Amino acid sequence: MEEVPQGCPGTGSAQAGRGASCQGCPNQRLCASGAGAAPDPAIEEIKEKMKTVKHKILVLSGKGGVGKSTFSAHLAHGLAEDENTQVALLDIDICGPSIPKIMGLEGEQVHQSGSGWSPVFVEDNLGVMSVGFLLSSPDDAVIWRGPKKNGMIKQFLRDVDWGEVDYLIVDTPPGTSDEHLSAVQYLSAAHIDGAVIITTPQEVSLQDVRKEINFCHKVKLPIIGVVENMSVFICPKCKKESQIFPPTTGGAEVMCQDLKIPLLGKVPLDPHIGG
Amino acid sequence: MEVAAEPGNLAGVRHIILVLSGKGGVGKSTISTELALALRHAGKKVGILDVDLCGPSIPRMLRAQGRAVHQCDSGWVPVFVDQEQSISLMSVGFLLESPDEAVVWRGPKKNALIKQFVSDVAWGQLDYLVVDTPPGTSDEHMAAVEALRPYSPLGALVVTTPQAVSVGDVRRELTFCRKTGLQVVGVVENMSGFVCPHCAECTNVFSRGGGEALARLAGVPFLGSVPLDPELTRSLEEGRDFIRDFPKSPAFPALSSIAQKVLSKAPARVS
């Protein structure tokens, strides 16, 4: 489980190889020599690999449980309705990979070929990759620290044989941490079209989403727009609307106006999806 | 040679509970906050440690946004959210220059702050320390469990919502608990049904039954189901005391019952 020492300052840090916690680490000499600060060769390799991928879209939120994976899956299916459009869905939520379940692909395994890992195809023109396919049981927990998660994301971007793809949609976990930094870093030479940011209407979500928007600005990731999910609930019996997650500070609409970001749309709560 | 833990700043803390989920957005912070409020109403002194560094939700839920953290001889003074000083809180939210500031840190830096939050906050005398966590089974969780291990936490309250995609992640969280030797106090199923305020029809917006089935499968106690309750959501948005202000609301009985079960789990300590 442990690959780096506790208190590792990070291989890119000025203290790399020199900190007290570096003593005894097998990489100490490498880090102290400054090799850790050199750009990762994988970035160029991924740039090459991504030449066959026309558009790359990251689906982000600061907040958990707002519907990133649900949205990613629906977007992928929607784009793939045109059988001439090749779509790829990459799930980089290493700890909580939801895409296999949502796409009905639980239990599928990944196969290796000469040209790399084969994605799991749910349609002829829709391929999926997730750490979920690498786990042998639904109880398997991926208890990894940042560096190991980053390694997996590098492999997903570099070693999966996506082929010719019109749209690569990348589903992410909540937060602004290793997975997000790695995705942006490894794709830095390959041009990401932008990010779609998902939120729910209430302020407790919006306050995390504003942080995610700031993250995008910090790493110069263009924002395509915001989707407000779970907007209203329509009672299946009386058809009247209720707001389960009330937009106490104006919801995504006001946030988007304030931050001058497009609001791409609002999606209601649908028990058929939630169930 | 194992070094005995310096009791230090956790010496006066009687019981530690971690609130976990594998899944995001199931209500960990909500349950942490309501549990703390309910324990306070039961006469207990409670601390909340918010180790969600990327998405610290607790300050707003207790109307404590923008408060400053002061230093004392023993370290950081936690922020008291009420005049009686019966609930104290530490969150990275208090250390940010602006509420929109993103904490864009990799694992090692997150681990370092969490260790500080455990050892350098002067909690004083507490009956309960509730530790709210982000979703997942990664750096924050490992750092928190390792830092708290010498203080023998009571265990973990694991929160899920009823549907399969949540239960799937929460099964992994239960594995995390098993692997790290953290006892599971019980499973809470949140967002369990919505009663339409217009016609009283109950709809299972996020499916039903998953939490109870999971608890049974994993052989851990099921602590209860909390329904979707816009009054609860609004109360958290406004930093109100839901337990005090909305005793007739649909979520109140479930939340009170969960707090009672937590109180009954705490072993009597010989002082």
Side-chain angles (χ1 to χ4, degrees):
Chain A
M1 198 160 107
E2 272 296 302
E3 285 202 340
V4 292
Q6 283 269 44
C8 163
T11 54
S13 137
Q15 281 304 302
R18 298 186 176 89
S21 15
C22 300
Q23 302 298 327
C25 172
N27 287 330
Q28 186 186 8
R29 244 166 144 202
L30 192 66
C31 286
S33 71
D40 191 329
I43 295 177
E44 273 304 306
E45 291 169 330
I46 290 167
K47 177 185 175 185
E48 278 308 303
K49 202 72 187 232
M50 288 287 138
K51 279 188 168 157
T52 56
V53 178
K54 289 207 188 89
H55 300 289
K56 301 156 210 76
I57 298 171
L58 266 62
V59 179
L60 304 174
S61 180
K63 188 86 184 70
V66 297
K68 290 178 289 308
S69 300
T70 301
F71 177 82
S72 299
H74 280 82
L75 178 62
H77 271 302
L79 291 167
E81 266 179 18
D82 175 1
E83 57 193 31
N84 295 316
T85 305
Q86 294 296 321
V87 183
L89 177 55
L90 172 58
D91 177 8
I92 61 167
D93 188 341
I94 309 289
C95 296
S98 303
I99 293 288
K101 197 182 282 287
I102 293 176
M103 301 292 279
L105 296 172
E106 276 193 297
E108 293 284 340
Q109 300 281 298
V110 166
H111 301 285
Q112 289 246 21
S113 74
S115 37
W117 290 357
S118 302
V120 175
F121 284 91
V122 64
E123 318 268 359
D124 285 339
N125 63 336
L126 175 46
V128 181
M129 182 54 67
S130 166
V131 82
F133 299 137
L134 307 176
L135 303 173
S136 41
S137 139
D139 292 317
D140 279 352
V142 180
I143 308 174
W144 291 355
R145 290 190 189 274
K148 207 163 169 182
K149 291 194 284 186
N150 300 338
M152 183 89 262
I153 291 168
K154 189 195 306 195
Q155 277 196 277
F156 277 163
L157 290 169
R158 186 189 59 196
D159 300 342
V160 172
D161 183 21
W162 294 108
E164 298 281 336
V165 169
D166 294 292
Y167 293 95
L168 170 64
I169 295 160
V170 183
D171 183 32
T172 65
T176 50
S177 190
D178 287 275
E179 296 88 333
H180 314 86
L181 284 166
S182 293
V184 169
Q185 183 194 5
Y186 289 130
L187 286 168
S188 54
H191 180 67
I192 307 174
D193 291 58
V196 175
I197 301 184
I198 314 291
T199 186
T200 46
Q202 77 277 41
E203 177 59 26
V204 79
S205 293
L206 297 174
Q207 74 181 2
D208 286 353
V209 169
R210 288 193 201 94
K211 291 183 208 285
E212 197 73 19
I213 291 170
N214 271 327
F215 166 81
C216 291
H217 292 325
K218 256 188 183 171
V219 300
K220 301 190 182 14
L221 179 60
I223 297 173
I224 297 170
V226 171
V227 172
E228 184 183 88
N229 198 17
M230 308 195 203
S231 260
V232 284
F233 172 73
I234 298 166
C235 178
K237 187 170 179 207
C238 70
K239 311 297 181 205
K240 294 212 171 94
E241 277 187 10
S242 297
Q243 286 179 331
I244 295 186
F245 303 113
T248 54
T249 54
E253 200 158 343
V254 169
M255 180 188 72
C256 287
Q257 267 164 18
D258 286 345
L259 300 178
K260 300 187 181 20
I261 292 174
L263 175 64
L264 300 176
K266 297 184 184 186
V267 181
L269 261 166
D270 184 340
H272 289 118
I273 297 180
Chain B
M1 183 187 82
E2 197 160 293
V3 179
E6 279 250 6
N9 278 320
L10 287 173
V13 175
R14 296 183 70 208
H15 305 296
I16 299 171
I17 295 184
L18 283 82
V19 180
L20 303 174
S21 182
K23 187 86 184 66
V26 296
K28 288 176 290 308
S29 300
T30 297
I31 297 293
S32 297
T33 301
E34 299 309 323
L35 177 62
L37 289 167
L39 291 172
R40 191 265 293 270
H41 284 293
K44 305 295 178 193
K45 250 191 126 190
V46 187
I48 307 175
L49 173 56
D50 177 5
V51 302
D52 188 341
L53 304 183
C54 296
S57 304
I58 307 272
R60 192 186 174 91
M61 290 180 173
L62 290 166
R63 213 182 279 184
Q65 316 93 293
R67 301 275 298 276
V69 169
H70 301 289
Q71 296 258 15
C72 68
D73 287 339
S74 331
W76 289 337
V77 181
V79 171
F80 289 104
V81 307
D82 59 334
Q83 281 202 325
E84 301 82 21
Q85 301 201 337
S86 49
I87 298 186
S88 53
L89 168 61
M90 182 52 69
S91 168
V92 78
F94 298 133
L95 308 177
L96 302 174
E97 301 228 335
S98 115
D100 296 343
E101 187 185 325
V103 172
V104 183
W105 293 353
R106 290 196 183 269
K109 210 165 165 182
K110 292 195 282 186
N111 298 342
L113 183 60
I114 289 170
K115 269 203 208 143
Q116 269 197 283
F117 274 173
V118 170
S119 60
D120 295 350
V121 173
W123 294 106
Q125 300 296 320
L126 290 178
D127 294 296
Y128 288 88
L129 178 64
V130 177
V131 183
D132 185 31
T133 63
T137 49
S138 187
D139 290 274
E140 296 89 331
H141 313 85
M142 286 192 258
V145 169
E146 278 165 29
L148 292 167
R149 196 189 300 282
Y151 307 100
S152 306
L154 200 58
L157 208 96
V158 178
V159 185
T160 186
T161 47
Q163 79 271 46
V165 80
S166 293
V167 169
D169 284 350
V170 177
R171 280 177 84 162
R172 297 187 234 274
E173 197 73 22
L174 291 172
T175 302
F176 170 84
C177 292
R178 207 174 55 246
K179 284 195 165 170
T180 54
L182 190 58
Q183 214 205 5
V184 176
V185 170
V187 169
V188 169
E189 182 183 278
N190 196 20
M191 307 199 199
S192 219
F194 176 66
V195 176
C196 176
H198 306 287
C199 71
E201 166 90 348
C202 181
T203 305
N204 292 313
V205 182
F206 299 113
S207 190
R208 64 170 297 173
E212 195 160 3
L214 173 65
R216 218 176 13 247
L217 178 75
V220 297
F222 180 63
L223 298 183
S225 305
V226 182
L228 277 161
D229 184 345
E231 210 75 85
L232 173 61
T233 316
R234 205 174 278 278
S235 184
L236 291 156
E237 293 275 284
E238 295 164 6
R240 302 183 62 172
D241 184 340
F242 175 81
I243 302 288
R244 181 193 65 200
D245 296 344
F246 298 102
K248 294 199 169 53
S249 214
F252 179 85
L255 290 169
S256 302
S257 152
I258 289 163
Q260 280 307 312
K261 289 183 178 152
V262 167
L263 283 163
S264 67
K265 295 263 185 216
R269 287 275 189 94
V270 179
S271 50

